[in-house]
Amino acid sequence: MAFALDPQVAEIFAPMAAAMADMTPPQVGDVAGRRAALEGLIAHSDTAQPAPADVTITDHHLLTADGEQILLRWYTKQGTPSEPGPAAVYFHGGGMILGHVGLFDGSIARYVSASGTPILSVDYRLAPEHPHPTPVEDAYAALVWLHEHAVELGVDPARIAVFGDSAGGGIAAAVSILARDRQGPAIAQQILLMPMLDDRNLTADPQLTPFMAWSWDDNRTGWGALLGDAIAGPDVPAHAAPARVADPAGLPPAYIEVGQLDIFRDEDLTYALRLSQAGVPVEFHLHPGVPHEFDGIAFTTDVAQRVMADRIRVLSSL
């Protein structure tokens, strides 16, 4: 029996698929074309749902080790308890090559409103202008910053998670490895939504090709921008591609989810298995009938509601 989209998701995706049928996708390596095509779609998805009125947004700035300034956006729910509580550091998706914190204001505010857990969103620098290790170093610096400012922000430093989707999920996993290897700040949990983990995932699977929201050409472009000629070679470090980690022992507990029609399915399944075999507590969800980032567009569907309930539960339980 062949794969098929979840019926509710298929109904919502149909007009978009029809509109895109005659469009020529960007060539491999065309970062500007992907930014033009996908950032508009992300912005539309982010504003398609109402923004909660009970979330306050405050901007901070972090001076990086190489002298650049990056934006850290802090989202808190109004009326939260005054005693120190949990928080999450969030890294947005975009294939390592696109996106910025402002494109995700609505979605992050909705997570905060529903869970009560504040979130620090990080405007990490993007490839190819800033290849590895800049994005993960920016992300790690933001984690350190939150630990250093935990008292003034009302955060318990023992209850800080890293959180991301797609490329941001990969960065959250990489930051977890980096923090372990450097004996750096504690991470209570890694929350990895359809994470982009393995630069070697470059060969198309014909079973998944009809459902691609992020394609193998996109993947080669993103990893190539981050790693250059090192892509898929023997010397890529786990701090760039977390699937390369030699020993996952000692990493933080993980929540991992992915759609069965997502090109990241196999690398995410494998990562969850390897973490489990190394003694890392893992909660894993494989959602049938859905492709990459489906929930941003098909947010009214039953499967999207289930996905969101799980994410809110995990954030609330930190």
Side-chain angles (χ1 to χ4, degrees), residues 46-122:
D46 191 63
T47 57
Q49 302 175 65
D54 62 348
V55 173
T56 299
I57 298 175
T58 308
D59 285 348
H60 302 273
H61 292 88
L62 166 67
L63 186 65
T64 65
D66 61 350
E68 294 296 320
Q69 194 174 74
I70 61 172
L71 172 66
L72 306 177
R73 182 160 289 176
W74 180 239
Y75 303 75
T76 56
K77 185 173 182 176
Q78 297 162 13
T80 53
S82 56
E83 64 270 12
V89 186
Y90 173 77
F91 313 109
H92 66 76
M96 308 293 184
I97 57 175
L98 59 94
H100 57 81
V101 295
L103 287 178
F104 302 87
D105 279 338
S107 60
I108 300 307
R110 287 186 285 272
Y111 284 129
V112 171
S113 179
S115 70
T117 298
I119 292 177
L120 184 73
S121 186
V122 182

Side-chain angles (χ1 to χ4, degrees), residues 5-22 210-211 291 294 297-298 301:
L5 283 172
D6 174 277
Q8 292 179 328
V9 173
E11 183 178 358
I12 292 172
F13 271 38
M16 184 176 71
M20 296 175 64
D22 296 328
F211 310 105
F294 77 98
I297 297 170
T301 60

